[in-house]
Amino acid sequence: MSSKHDLNIEDLLSGFDSMKLSALRNAAKLSPLIKERTIGPDCADLSRREVSISILPAAVDSNDTTKENDPNVSNEGPSSIHGTPKSEEKKKSAPVTTQFTAIKHSDPTDCTAVQSKLHQQELERQRLASVQKALAERHNKIRLADEQREAQLAKSLHEASLNVARKVQDSEQRLLHAVREQEKLAQAAAAQRQAQMEEENKRLNDIQTQLKRRQEEMRRKAQLIETVRQSIGQFRVGTETFTKALTVIGVQHATKFTNQKKAIRALQKDFEHFYEQHQTAVKQLMDDPSMKTYRFNCQKAINVPVNAISAVNREHFIDKYSKLAALLSGQNVKAGDGMVSINGHPLGRTYCTMLLAKKFVSQADTSISSNASAAFPVAAIAVALWQRFPDFGRFFLAYLHRECPYLVPYYLPQHEGQSQEEFLKTLGYRFADGGVLEKQDQYLKRMSGLARLYAAVIVTVPRKDDPTPHPHGLEYGWRWLTNILNRFPQPDICATLIAEFLQTAGSELHAAYGKQFLKVLRVLQGDYMSALNRIDTGGPKARLEGLIAKILTEGRIERPEGIMSVNFW
């Protein structure tokens, strides 16, 4: 048991354990030797005691105190416990005294020194606390820096994962886009292959269709040829029968019919001889290379006004007629940027007259076949030119009969040794390259235009300023109608021509011939249609049958649309 003056070292050092003050340790070493209080006014006078200095440890040396106060030097090492080697030597040499000797404590500043020492210890404690605070702040900064670094690292890892995900997504998108492009290319290639297959199939179908069409055309052509041959035979039989009937009636009538038949054939031959004669005459001009520009200018001087013929107004109409009349009169007329005259070559008049007549006839195919009313202004100028230039009229009829011999009317026979193609050409048929025969509806459409033009010429009223009579008036129309009815009908063509002729010229013929015209229509409705029904069942025959029934029922024929008035020009 220690006395009441014994100091509890652990309690004393419990508040300063972190500071590790060497001074307190030294005081603790002295406390067993000192039993009285050393602080206060009533403290014992230790100066009178004799204390051996040798018992004081060398640790109270100022150098040791400095070392102990140094935070960089450990106070718990071997040197602080046992002292320096030099201290050990002093301990060995100094005698140890277990009893305090009388020491005279005559220094009054010992307490002050102790207080100063404690004050220094307090300052040291504060300094250590400041150091600990700085270390704590530094630790917090390091912790914050670590947290920031970890957060930055986490952010970087997150961004890296996002970049990786984005790159993966981009790669997937590019892969998906590439797959889609490949699919599109595959679909396009498949569509192209399908289109090629369809095109090839279509081409094969077209070839098969063309072959079937050609076979059908050949079959129809053969049937047509056979029908023509049969018709010719029937016509001959009918002619012989009719001739015999006329013989029974009287030789005079038979002779008259035979003479009329011969006259028609002579008329056809006359037109053919006239055409061939002048065609040969102008061949020299047509084959001359040096006259190419002249021929071109003549064609331009004719084609431009003829193509512009219409009844849009009186001034326009007269202008086209005046230009054509001036050309045939020998005047210089405008042809494009230059001038031309029929006097530019000895054969210029014949060439231009034939060219003009042929151009008028060609209007039947280019415009009149599609527009019936266009026939009347063309026919009016043709009649006016025919009045002044009779050769023009003869060439006009020659070209007209060459294109359609049924308008004579005359059925051309097939001569011995004549090919089928050549024979059909004489009937007005056309052949394309390779010898392909035109379709029947195209042929009938062109023949319709020619019939309209011819009928329009017949009913045209001449110019009031020209006293020359009509060169080819209504009497020619009456003659054609009666002559065509005296011939055995041909399928398609006869019904087509008669229907177009009646629609164009029927009203004027009815006005001129009255009841006689209606009698002719009754013959047409009776005997002629009966004969036609035996060989024809097509649309033209039905159309003609309906037209005749309408006229006879109403007792009149409507005037055609587009016919020109008497005082138009």
Side-chain angles (χ1 to χ4, degrees), residues 402-436:
R402 185 177 180 84
E403 290 293 321
C404 182
Y406 297 99
L407 291 177
V408 175
Y410 182 60
Y411 297 169
L412 292 173
Q414 185 173 6
H415 302 298
E416 185 178 355
Q418 186 180 28
S419 67
Q420 185 64 26
E421 181 175 337
E422 291 298 327
F423 172 62
L424 291 176
K425 285 182 178 179
T426 62
L427 298 180
Y429 284 94
R430 293 179 181 177
F431 288 80
D433 294 340
V436 179

PDB file of all heavy atoms in Angstrom, residues 402-436:
ATOM      1  N   ARG A 402     -56.991   5.427-158.903  1.00  0.00           N
ATOM      2  CA  ARG A 402     -55.856   4.529-158.656  1.00  0.00           C
ATOM      3  C   ARG A 402     -55.882   4.034-157.208  1.00  0.00           C
ATOM      4  O   ARG A 402     -55.552   2.880-156.936  1.00  0.00           O
ATOM      5  CB  ARG A 402     -54.547   5.251-158.959  1.00  0.00           C
ATOM      6  CG  ARG A 402     -53.310   4.351-158.842  1.00  0.00           C
ATOM      7  CD  ARG A 402     -52.063   5.139-159.228  1.00  0.00           C
ATOM      8  NE  ARG A 402     -50.877   4.309-159.130  1.00  0.00           N
ATOM      9  CZ  ARG A 402     -50.445   3.475-160.072  1.00  0.00           C
ATOM     10  NH1 ARG A 402     -51.121   3.378-161.209  1.00  0.00           N
ATOM     11  NH2 ARG A 402     -49.358   2.761-159.920  1.00  0.00           N
ATOM     12  N   GLU A 403     -56.252   4.932-156.294  1.00  0.00           N
ATOM     13  CA  GLU A 403     -56.316   4.550-154.881  1.00  0.00           C
ATOM     14  C   GLU A 403     -57.540   3.693-154.595  1.00  0.00           C
ATOM     15  O   GLU A 403     -57.497   2.809-153.741  1.00  0.00           O
ATOM     16  CB  GLU A 403     -56.351   5.808-153.989  1.00  0.00           C
ATOM     17  CG  GLU A 403     -55.052   6.582-153.947  1.00  0.00           C
ATOM     18  CD  GLU A 403     -53.943   5.808-153.248  1.00  0.00           C
ATOM     19  OE1 GLU A 403     -54.230   5.137-152.239  1.00  0.00           O
ATOM     20  OE2 GLU A 403     -52.801   5.852-153.730  1.00  0.00           O
ATOM     21  N   CYS A 404     -58.650   3.944-155.310  1.00  0.00           N
ATOM     22  CA  CYS A 404     -59.886   3.194-155.073  1.00  0.00           C
ATOM     23  C   CYS A 404     -60.612   2.988-156.405  1.00  0.00           C
ATOM     24  O   CYS A 404     -61.451   3.823-156.796  1.00  0.00           O
ATOM     25  CB  CYS A 404     -60.778   3.937-154.068  1.00  0.00           C
ATOM     26  SG  CYS A 404     -62.303   3.065-153.669  1.00  0.00           S
ATOM     27  N   PRO A 405     -60.330   1.917-157.127  1.00  0.00           N
ATOM     28  CA  PRO A 405     -60.988   1.684-158.421  1.00  0.00           C
ATOM     29  C   PRO A 405     -62.495   1.476-158.292  1.00  0.00           C
ATOM     30  O   PRO A 405     -63.225   1.596-159.271  1.00  0.00           O
ATOM     31  CB  PRO A 405     -60.287   0.438-158.954  1.00  0.00           C
ATOM     32  CG  PRO A 405     -59.730  -0.243-157.757  1.00  0.00           C
ATOM     33  CD  PRO A 405     -59.369   0.834-156.801  1.00  0.00           C
ATOM     34  N   TYR A 406     -62.980   1.182-157.071  1.00  0.00           N
ATOM     35  CA  TYR A 406     -64.421   1.003-156.889  1.00  0.00           C
ATOM     36  C   TYR A 406     -65.175   2.320-157.078  1.00  0.00           C
ATOM     37  O   TYR A 406     -66.394   2.303-157.265  1.00  0.00           O
ATOM     38  CB  TYR A 406     -64.704   0.470-155.481  1.00  0.00           C
ATOM     39  CG  TYR A 406     -64.105  -0.894-155.228  1.00  0.00           C
ATOM     40  CD1 TYR A 406     -62.907  -1.030-154.539  1.00  0.00           C
ATOM     41  CD2 TYR A 406     -64.736  -2.047-155.686  1.00  0.00           C
ATOM     42  CE1 TYR A 406     -62.353  -2.283-154.292  1.00  0.00           C
ATOM     43  CE2 TYR A 406     -64.185  -3.295-155.461  1.00  0.00           C
ATOM     44  CZ  TYR A 406     -63.000  -3.410-154.768  1.00  0.00           C
ATOM     45  OH  TYR A 406     -62.454  -4.659-154.538  1.00  0.00           O
ATOM     46  N   LEU A 407     -64.462   3.464-157.049  1.00  0.00           N
ATOM     47  CA  LEU A 407     -65.123   4.751-157.275  1.00  0.00           C
ATOM     48  C   LEU A 407     -65.305   5.038-158.764  1.00  0.00           C
ATOM     49  O   LEU A 407     -65.845   6.078-159.124  1.00  0.00           O
ATOM     50  CB  LEU A 407     -64.307   5.870-156.612  1.00  0.00           C
ATOM     51  CG  LEU A 407     -64.296   5.850-155.068  1.00  0.00           C
ATOM     52  CD1 LEU A 407     -63.401   6.956-154.534  1.00  0.00           C
ATOM     53  CD2 LEU A 407     -65.707   5.968-154.507  1.00  0.00           C
ATOM     54  N   VAL A 408     -64.879   4.130-159.662  1.00  0.00           N
ATOM     55  CA  VAL A 408     -65.126   4.351-161.101  1.00  0.00           C
ATOM     56  C   VAL A 408     -66.608   4.207-161.451  1.00  0.00           C
ATOM     57  O   VAL A 408     -67.144   5.097-162.140  1.00  0.00           O
ATOM     58  CB  VAL A 408     -64.219   3.420-161.932  1.00  0.00           C
ATOM     59  CG1 VAL A 408     -64.560   3.568-163.416  1.00  0.00           C
ATOM     60  CG2 VAL A 408     -62.749   3.723-161.666  1.00  0.00           C
ATOM     61  N   PRO A 409     -67.323   3.126-161.099  1.00  0.00           N
ATOM     62  CA  PRO A 409     -66.914   1.935-160.339  1.00  0.00           C
ATOM     63  C   PRO A 409     -66.418   0.842-161.281  1.00  0.00           C
ATOM     64  O   PRO A 409     -66.970   0.643-162.353  1.00  0.00           O
ATOM     65  CB  PRO A 409     -68.202   1.506-159.670  1.00  0.00           C
ATOM     66  CG  PRO A 409     -69.260   1.929-160.617  1.00  0.00           C
ATOM     67  CD  PRO A 409     -68.778   3.163-161.330  1.00  0.00           C
ATOM     68  N   TYR A 410     -65.378   0.142-160.838  1.00  0.00           N
ATOM     69  CA  TYR A 410     -64.788  -0.895-161.677  1.00  0.00           C
ATOM     70  C   TYR A 410     -64.153  -1.936-160.779  1.00  0.00           C
ATOM     71  O   TYR A 410     -63.405  -1.595-159.850  1.00  0.00           O
ATOM     72  CB  TYR A 410     -63.759  -0.279-162.624  1.00  0.00           C
ATOM     73  CG  TYR A 410     -63.126  -1.256-163.583  1.00  0.00           C
ATOM     74  CD1 TYR A 410     -63.896  -1.978-164.491  1.00  0.00           C
ATOM     75  CD2 TYR A 410     -61.743  -1.443-163.590  1.00  0.00           C
ATOM     76  CE1 TYR A 410     -63.322  -2.873-165.367  1.00  0.00           C
ATOM     77  CE2 TYR A 410     -61.158  -2.332-164.469  1.00  0.00           C
ATOM     78  CZ  TYR A 410     -61.952  -3.050-165.361  1.00  0.00           C
ATOM     79  OH  TYR A 410     -61.382  -3.943-166.240  1.00  0.00           O
ATOM     80  N   TYR A 411     -64.444  -3.216-161.037  1.00  0.00           N
ATOM     81  CA  TYR A 411     -63.832  -4.313-160.296  1.00  0.00           C
ATOM     82  C   TYR A 411     -62.677  -4.847-161.137  1.00  0.00           C
ATOM     83  O   TYR A 411     -62.881  -5.473-162.171  1.00  0.00           O
ATOM     84  CB  TYR A 411     -64.829  -5.448-160.053  1.00  0.00           C
ATOM     85  CG  TYR A 411     -66.023  -5.076-159.199  1.00  0.00           C
ATOM     86  CD1 TYR A 411     -67.113  -5.924-159.095  1.00  0.00           C
ATOM     87  CD2 TYR A 411     -66.064  -3.871-158.489  1.00  0.00           C
ATOM     88  CE1 TYR A 411     -68.210  -5.601-158.315  1.00  0.00           C
ATOM     89  CE2 TYR A 411     -67.158  -3.528-157.720  1.00  0.00           C
ATOM     90  CZ  TYR A 411     -68.230  -4.388-157.628  1.00  0.00           C
ATOM     91  OH  TYR A 411     -69.316  -4.051-156.869  1.00  0.00           O
ATOM     92  N   LEU A 412     -61.478  -4.574-160.691  1.00  0.00           N
ATOM     93  CA  LEU A 412     -60.303  -5.020-161.439  1.00  0.00           C
ATOM     94  C   LEU A 412     -60.146  -6.529-161.320  1.00  0.00           C
ATOM     95  O   LEU A 412     -60.162  -7.077-160.205  1.00  0.00           O
ATOM     96  CB  LEU A 412     -59.049  -4.317-160.916  1.00  0.00           C
ATOM     97  CG  LEU A 412     -58.966  -2.810-161.195  1.00  0.00           C
ATOM     98  CD1 LEU A 412     -57.763  -2.221-160.466  1.00  0.00           C
ATOM     99  CD2 LEU A 412     -58.846  -2.558-162.678  1.00  0.00           C
ATOM    100  N   PRO A 413     -59.955  -7.225-162.434  1.00  0.00           N
ATOM    101  CA  PRO A 413     -59.721  -8.675-162.382  1.00  0.00           C
ATOM    102  C   PRO A 413     -58.255  -8.964-162.120  1.00  0.00           C
ATOM    103  O   PRO A 413     -57.380  -8.114-162.313  1.00  0.00           O
ATOM    104  CB  PRO A 413     -60.148  -9.142-163.769  1.00  0.00           C
ATOM    105  CG  PRO A 413     -59.821  -7.977-164.642  1.00  0.00           C
ATOM    106  CD  PRO A 413     -60.073  -6.739-163.830  1.00  0.00           C
ATOM    107  N   GLN A 414     -57.974 -10.144-161.665  1.00  0.00           N
ATOM    108  CA  GLN A 414     -56.594 -10.577-161.465  1.00  0.00           C
ATOM    109  C   GLN A 414     -56.091 -11.186-162.766  1.00  0.00           C
ATOM    110  O   GLN A 414     -56.631 -12.178-163.265  1.00  0.00           O
ATOM    111  CB  GLN A 414     -56.498 -11.597-160.333  1.00  0.00           C
ATOM    112  CG  GLN A 414     -55.066 -11.998-159.990  1.00  0.00           C
ATOM    113  CD  GLN A 414     -55.004 -12.885-158.748  1.00  0.00           C
ATOM    114  OE1 GLN A 414     -56.045 -13.292-158.222  1.00  0.00           O
ATOM    115  NE2 GLN A 414     -53.791 -13.180-158.307  1.00  0.00           N
ATOM    116  N   HIS A 415     -55.057 -10.563-163.314  1.00  0.00           N
ATOM    117  CA  HIS A 415     -54.526 -11.014-164.587  1.00  0.00           C
ATOM    118  C   HIS A 415     -53.735 -12.303-164.418  1.00  0.00           C
ATOM    119  O   HIS A 415     -53.246 -12.620-163.325  1.00  0.00           O
ATOM    120  CB  HIS A 415     -53.637  -9.935-165.211  1.00  0.00           C
ATOM    121  CG  HIS A 415     -54.353  -8.634-165.427  1.00  0.00           C
ATOM    122  ND1 HIS A 415     -55.437  -8.512-166.263  1.00  0.00           N
ATOM    123  CD2 HIS A 415     -54.122  -7.386-164.911  1.00  0.00           C
ATOM    124  CE1 HIS A 415     -55.850  -7.255-166.260  1.00  0.00           C
ATOM    125  NE2 HIS A 415     -55.064  -6.547-165.444  1.00  0.00           N
ATOM    126  N   GLU A 416     -53.584 -12.994-165.493  1.00  0.00           N
ATOM    127  CA  GLU A 416     -52.829 -14.235-165.472  1.00  0.00           C
ATOM    128  C   GLU A 416     -51.356 -13.936-165.195  1.00  0.00           C
ATOM    129  O   GLU A 416     -50.756 -13.061-165.804  1.00  0.00           O
ATOM    130  CB  GLU A 416     -52.979 -14.948-166.820  1.00  0.00           C
ATOM    131  CG  GLU A 416     -52.319 -16.316-166.848  1.00  0.00           C
ATOM    132  CD  GLU A 416     -52.534 -17.013-168.191  1.00  0.00           C
ATOM    133  OE1 GLU A 416     -53.267 -16.458-169.043  1.00  0.00           O
ATOM    134  OE2 GLU A 416     -51.972 -18.100-168.380  1.00  0.00           O
ATOM    135  N   GLY A 417     -50.805 -14.639-164.236  1.00  0.00           N
ATOM    136  CA  GLY A 417     -49.415 -14.430-163.857  1.00  0.00           C
ATOM    137  C   GLY A 417     -49.221 -13.324-162.832  1.00  0.00           C
ATOM    138  O   GLY A 417     -48.097 -13.108-162.355  1.00  0.00           O
ATOM    139  N   GLN A 418     -50.257 -12.598-162.488  1.00  0.00           N
ATOM    140  CA  GLN A 418     -50.150 -11.509-161.500  1.00  0.00           C
ATOM    141  C   GLN A 418     -50.186 -12.112-160.084  1.00  0.00           C
ATOM    142  O   GLN A 418     -51.062 -12.920-159.764  1.00  0.00           O
ATOM    143  CB  GLN A 418     -51.309 -10.514-161.674  1.00  0.00           C
ATOM    144  CG  GLN A 418     -51.192  -9.279-160.800  1.00  0.00           C
ATOM    145  CD  GLN A 418     -52.363  -8.332-161.025  1.00  0.00           C
ATOM    146  OE1 GLN A 418     -53.460  -8.751-161.387  1.00  0.00           O
ATOM    147  NE2 GLN A 418     -52.115  -7.049-160.829  1.00  0.00           N
ATOM    148  N   SER A 419     -49.232 -11.702-159.243  1.00  0.00           N
ATOM    149  CA  SER A 419     -49.187 -12.223-157.869  1.00  0.00           C
ATOM    150  C   SER A 419     -50.368 -11.680-157.065  1.00  0.00           C
ATOM    151  O   SER A 419     -50.970 -10.660-157.414  1.00  0.00           O
ATOM    152  CB  SER A 419     -47.866 -11.831-157.194  1.00  0.00           C
ATOM    153  OG  SER A 419     -47.806 -10.431-157.011  1.00  0.00           O
ATOM    154  N   GLN A 420     -50.615 -12.383-155.983  1.00  0.00           N
ATOM    155  CA  GLN A 420     -51.730 -11.959-155.123  1.00  0.00           C
ATOM    156  C   GLN A 420     -51.462 -10.584-154.520  1.00  0.00           C
ATOM    157  O   GLN A 420     -52.373  -9.760-154.385  1.00  0.00           O
ATOM    158  CB  GLN A 420     -51.944 -12.992-154.009  1.00  0.00           C
ATOM    159  CG  GLN A 420     -53.146 -12.738-153.123  1.00  0.00           C
ATOM    160  CD  GLN A 420     -54.447 -12.835-153.890  1.00  0.00           C
ATOM    161  OE1 GLN A 420     -54.539 -13.525-154.900  1.00  0.00           O
ATOM    162  NE2 GLN A 420     -55.468 -12.133-153.436  1.00  0.00           N
ATOM    163  N   GLU A 421     -50.200 -10.320-154.159  1.00  0.00           N
ATOM    164  CA  GLU A 421     -49.849  -9.014-153.587  1.00  0.00           C
ATOM    165  C   GLU A 421     -50.061  -7.895-154.597  1.00  0.00           C
ATOM    166  O   GLU A 421     -50.621  -6.837-154.263  1.00  0.00           O
ATOM    167  CB  GLU A 421     -48.400  -9.024-153.099  1.00  0.00           C
ATOM    168  CG  GLU A 421     -47.954  -7.724-152.458  1.00  0.00           C
ATOM    169  CD  GLU A 421     -46.559  -7.802-151.879  1.00  0.00           C
ATOM    170  OE1 GLU A 421     -46.107  -8.933-151.568  1.00  0.00           O
ATOM    171  OE2 GLU A 421     -45.918  -6.738-151.743  1.00  0.00           O
ATOM    172  N   GLU A 422     -49.635  -8.110-155.831  1.00  0.00           N
ATOM    173  CA  GLU A 422     -49.814  -7.101-156.860  1.00  0.00           C
ATOM    174  C   GLU A 422     -51.297  -6.871-157.162  1.00  0.00           C
ATOM    175  O   GLU A 422     -51.744  -5.744-157.378  1.00  0.00           O
ATOM    176  CB  GLU A 422     -49.078  -7.514-158.134  1.00  0.00           C
ATOM    177  CG  GLU A 422     -47.565  -7.481-158.005  1.00  0.00           C
ATOM    178  CD  GLU A 422     -47.042  -6.083-157.717  1.00  0.00           C
ATOM    179  OE1 GLU A 422     -47.671  -5.110-158.216  1.00  0.00           O
ATOM    180  OE2 GLU A 422     -46.042  -5.963-156.993  1.00  0.00           O
ATOM    181  N   PHE A 423     -52.051  -7.935-157.135  1.00  0.00           N
ATOM    182  CA  PHE A 423     -53.477  -7.794-157.393  1.00  0.00           C
ATOM    183  C   PHE A 423     -54.163  -6.987-156.293  1.00  0.00           C
ATOM    184  O   PHE A 423     -54.972  -6.091-156.567  1.00  0.00           O
ATOM    185  CB  PHE A 423     -54.117  -9.180-157.515  1.00  0.00           C
ATOM    186  CG  PHE A 423     -55.615  -9.159-157.591  1.00  0.00           C
ATOM    187  CD1 PHE A 423     -56.273  -8.527-158.653  1.00  0.00           C
ATOM    188  CD2 PHE A 423     -56.382  -9.734-156.593  1.00  0.00           C
ATOM    189  CE1 PHE A 423     -57.667  -8.491-158.708  1.00  0.00           C
ATOM    190  CE2 PHE A 423     -57.759  -9.698-156.655  1.00  0.00           C
ATOM    191  CZ  PHE A 423     -58.413  -9.083-157.710  1.00  0.00           C
ATOM    192  N   LEU A 424     -53.840  -7.290-155.031  1.00  0.00           N
ATOM    193  CA  LEU A 424     -54.443  -6.549-153.917  1.00  0.00           C
ATOM    194  C   LEU A 424     -54.024  -5.088-153.931  1.00  0.00           C
ATOM    195  O   LEU A 424     -54.792  -4.198-153.531  1.00  0.00           O
ATOM    196  CB  LEU A 424     -54.071  -7.212-152.592  1.00  0.00           C
ATOM    197  CG  LEU A 424     -54.691  -8.587-152.339  1.00  0.00           C
ATOM    198  CD1 LEU A 424     -54.168  -9.185-151.039  1.00  0.00           C
ATOM    199  CD2 LEU A 424     -56.214  -8.503-152.308  1.00  0.00           C
ATOM    200  N   LYS A 425     -52.806  -4.800-154.376  1.00  0.00           N
ATOM    201  CA  LYS A 425     -52.369  -3.405-154.484  1.00  0.00           C
ATOM    202  C   LYS A 425     -53.219  -2.644-155.493  1.00  0.00           C
ATOM    203  O   LYS A 425     -53.517  -1.458-155.299  1.00  0.00           O
ATOM    204  CB  LYS A 425     -50.899  -3.344-154.887  1.00  0.00           C
ATOM    205  CG  LYS A 425     -49.932  -3.681-153.761  1.00  0.00           C
ATOM    206  CD  LYS A 425     -48.491  -3.563-154.218  1.00  0.00           C
ATOM    207  CE  LYS A 425     -47.524  -3.857-153.076  1.00  0.00           C
ATOM    208  NZ  LYS A 425     -46.104  -3.766-153.514  1.00  0.00           N
ATOM    209  N   THR A 426     -53.607  -3.306-156.598  1.00  0.00           N
ATOM    210  CA  THR A 426     -54.467  -2.632-157.581  1.00  0.00           C
ATOM    211  C   THR A 426     -55.842  -2.328-157.005  1.00  0.00           C
ATOM    212  O   THR A 426     -56.527  -1.400-157.469  1.00  0.00           O
ATOM    213  CB  THR A 426     -54.632  -3.505-158.832  1.00  0.00           C
ATOM    214  OG1 THR A 426     -55.266  -4.747-158.477  1.00  0.00           O
ATOM    215  CG2 THR A 426     -53.291  -3.784-159.480  1.00  0.00           C
ATOM    216  N   LEU A 427     -56.251  -3.054-155.963  1.00  0.00           N
ATOM    217  CA  LEU A 427     -57.541  -2.803-155.306  1.00  0.00           C
ATOM    218  C   LEU A 427     -57.439  -1.744-154.215  1.00  0.00           C
ATOM    219  O   LEU A 427     -58.446  -1.411-153.589  1.00  0.00           O
ATOM    220  CB  LEU A 427     -58.086  -4.102-154.699  1.00  0.00           C
ATOM    221  CG  LEU A 427     -58.380  -5.236-155.697  1.00  0.00           C
ATOM    222  CD1 LEU A 427     -58.915  -6.449-154.952  1.00  0.00           C
ATOM    223  CD2 LEU A 427     -59.353  -4.793-156.773  1.00  0.00           C
ATOM    224  N   GLY A 428     -56.223  -1.213-154.004  1.00  0.00           N
ATOM    225  CA  GLY A 428     -56.037  -0.161-153.005  1.00  0.00           C
ATOM    226  C   GLY A 428     -55.434  -0.626-151.706  1.00  0.00           C
ATOM    227  O   GLY A 428     -55.233   0.189-150.785  1.00  0.00           O
ATOM    228  N   TYR A 429     -55.116  -1.895-151.550  1.00  0.00           N
ATOM    229  CA  TYR A 429     -54.483  -2.392-150.325  1.00  0.00           C
ATOM    230  C   TYR A 429     -53.020  -1.947-150.263  1.00  0.00           C
ATOM    231  O   TYR A 429     -52.370  -1.740-151.279  1.00  0.00           O
ATOM    232  CB  TYR A 429     -54.552  -3.920-150.267  1.00  0.00           C
ATOM    233  CG  TYR A 429     -55.910  -4.458-149.902  1.00  0.00           C
ATOM    234  CD1 TYR A 429     -56.818  -4.825-150.898  1.00  0.00           C
ATOM    235  CD2 TYR A 429     -56.289  -4.605-148.573  1.00  0.00           C
ATOM    236  CE1 TYR A 429     -58.072  -5.330-150.565  1.00  0.00           C
ATOM    237  CE2 TYR A 429     -57.539  -5.113-148.241  1.00  0.00           C
ATOM    238  CZ  TYR A 429     -58.428  -5.467-149.236  1.00  0.00           C
ATOM    239  OH  TYR A 429     -59.668  -5.957-148.900  1.00  0.00           O
ATOM    240  N   ARG A 430     -52.508  -1.828-149.023  1.00  0.00           N
ATOM    241  CA  ARG A 430     -51.116  -1.452-148.810  1.00  0.00           C
ATOM    242  C   ARG A 430     -50.409  -2.543-148.036  1.00  0.00           C
ATOM    243  O   ARG A 430     -51.021  -3.240-147.219  1.00  0.00           O
ATOM    244  CB  ARG A 430     -51.023  -0.125-148.056  1.00  0.00           C
ATOM    245  CG  ARG A 430     -51.522   1.061-148.863  1.00  0.00           C
ATOM    246  CD  ARG A 430     -51.423   2.348-148.071  1.00  0.00           C
ATOM    247  NE  ARG A 430     -51.916   3.491-148.844  1.00  0.00           N
ATOM    248  CZ  ARG A 430     -52.008   4.727-148.372  1.00  0.00           C
ATOM    249  NH1 ARG A 430     -51.653   4.991-147.120  1.00  0.00           N
ATOM    250  NH2 ARG A 430     -52.466   5.708-149.138  1.00  0.00           N
ATOM    251  N   PHE A 431     -49.114  -2.645-148.297  1.00  0.00           N
ATOM    252  CA  PHE A 431     -48.294  -3.654-147.642  1.00  0.00           C
ATOM    253  C   PHE A 431     -47.146  -2.965-146.914  1.00  0.00           C
ATOM    254  O   PHE A 431     -46.512  -2.048-147.453  1.00  0.00           O
ATOM    255  CB  PHE A 431     -47.738  -4.656-148.653  1.00  0.00           C
ATOM    256  CG  PHE A 431     -48.771  -5.591-149.213  1.00  0.00           C
ATOM    257  CD1 PHE A 431     -49.617  -5.189-150.241  1.00  0.00           C
ATOM    258  CD2 PHE A 431     -48.911  -6.868-148.699  1.00  0.00           C
ATOM    259  CE1 PHE A 431     -50.570  -6.049-150.755  1.00  0.00           C
ATOM    260  CE2 PHE A 431     -49.858  -7.737-149.210  1.00  0.00           C
ATOM    261  CZ  PHE A 431     -50.701  -7.330-150.236  1.00  0.00           C
ATOM    262  N   ALA A 432     -46.897  -3.400-145.685  1.00  0.00           N
ATOM    263  CA  ALA A 432     -45.772  -2.871-144.917  1.00  0.00           C
ATOM    264  C   ALA A 432     -44.500  -3.590-145.334  1.00  0.00           C
ATOM    265  O   ALA A 432     -44.508  -4.476-146.197  1.00  0.00           O
ATOM    266  CB  ALA A 432     -46.029  -3.046-143.422  1.00  0.00           C
ATOM    267  N   ASP A 433     -43.379  -3.184-144.713  1.00  0.00           N
ATOM    268  CA  ASP A 433     -42.102  -3.834-145.003  1.00  0.00           C
ATOM    269  C   ASP A 433     -42.196  -5.316-144.650  1.00  0.00           C
ATOM    270  O   ASP A 433     -42.746  -5.700-143.616  1.00  0.00           O
ATOM    271  CB  ASP A 433     -40.987  -3.191-144.182  1.00  0.00           C
ATOM    272  CG  ASP A 433     -40.741  -1.745-144.595  1.00  0.00           C
ATOM    273  OD1 ASP A 433     -41.147  -1.402-145.718  1.00  0.00           O
ATOM    274  OD2 ASP A 433     -40.170  -0.976-143.791  1.00  0.00           O
ATOM    275  N   GLY A 434     -41.655  -6.124-145.511  1.00  0.00           N
ATOM    276  CA  GLY A 434     -41.723  -7.557-145.298  1.00  0.00           C
ATOM    277  C   GLY A 434     -42.945  -8.189-145.915  1.00  0.00           C
ATOM    278  O   GLY A 434     -43.215  -9.373-145.685  1.00  0.00           O
ATOM    279  N   GLY A 435     -43.711  -7.386-146.662  1.00  0.00           N
ATOM    280  CA  GLY A 435     -44.884  -7.936-147.332  1.00  0.00           C
ATOM    281  C   GLY A 435     -46.059  -8.199-146.429  1.00  0.00           C
ATOM    282  O   GLY A 435     -46.901  -9.057-146.729  1.00  0.00           O
ATOM    283  N   VAL A 436     -46.161  -7.451-145.276  1.00  0.00           N
ATOM    284  CA  VAL A 436     -47.277  -7.644-144.346  1.00  0.00           C
ATOM    285  C   VAL A 436     -48.471  -6.831-144.830  1.00  0.00           C
ATOM    286  O   VAL A 436     -48.390  -5.601-144.976  1.00  0.00           O
ATOM    287  CB  VAL A 436     -46.890  -7.223-142.918  1.00  0.00           C
ATOM    288  CG1 VAL A 436     -48.068  -7.406-141.964  1.00  0.00           C
ATOM    289  CG2 VAL A 436     -45.686  -8.039-142.443  1.00  0.00           C
TER     290      VAL A 436
END
